[in-house]
Amino acid sequence: MATQPLVEASQQLWDETLTRLLNLSTATVKRNAELENRISELEVELSVWKQAHAVALEASEREAKAHNVQVAALNRQISNLDCFRGVAFHRRFVTYDPNLAPQNQNPLILCVVNGDENLFIRDLLAQGQQGGRAAAQQLTKSIAEYLSNEDVHIFGRLSFWIIVYYNKGEWDNLLRAHQVCTPEQFEGFLSV
């Protein structure tokens, strides 16, 4: 009769194990169904985002094409203006041919400087406004020498415009870090 409690204990152990297995199986099936639903929701959301991206990309491409058409039209208009006759555009320089220019206008030399890539001499920056004048004179002299070397002879009044584009915040940090000049000296340099 000692085997009777052992059989009952064994039966109870099997019942508990089967119950745990059934609960685990039910929980696994339930979690799997939840995950499949979430995957379906994410797939729908992904397709919505893909479609929105495609629409935005198409709009961007249309805007870029329209911009390019507008730039081309403006370039054609500029090239037809009398004030640009006699001007030949090169990659880094603009040259002037007085034979093609209107006779009643004074030539303008426009020099645009990328101040982030072309740094000025440290001593000139520290001189403030005087340094700015000296830099402008050196640039003007270099441009005149370039025109002379290209056999461009201009008679009459000649105007030089020099424009420097730069990242002010980056320049301020650079000048402070290397103690090149004070912000006031830099402003004076640029005020010429």
Side-chain angles (χ1 to χ4, degrees), residues 26-39:
T26 304
T28 302
V29 168
K30 181 180 176 183
R31 180 69 177 145
N32 190 37
E34 290 171 356
L35 290 174
E36 285 177 1
N37 287 338
R38 182 67 180 139
I39 288 171

Side-chain angles (χ1 to χ4, degrees), residues 4 42 90 100 104 112 139 153 174 185:
Q4 183 67 17
L42 290 173
H90 297 287
L100 300 175
N104 62 349
V112 180
L139 276 170
H153 302 288
L174 178 75
Q185 288 171 324

Side-chain angles (χ1 to χ4, degrees), residues 32 42 56-58 60-62 74 77 104 110 118-119 134 136 150 153 166 171:
N32 190 37
L42 290 173
L57 189 60
E58 287 175 14
S60 174
E61 289 172 356
R62 277 194 310 272
L74 290 172
Q77 288 176 359
N104 62 349
L110 175 63
N118 300 294
L119 304 178
E150 294 292 315
H153 302 288
Y166 67 100
W171 264 88

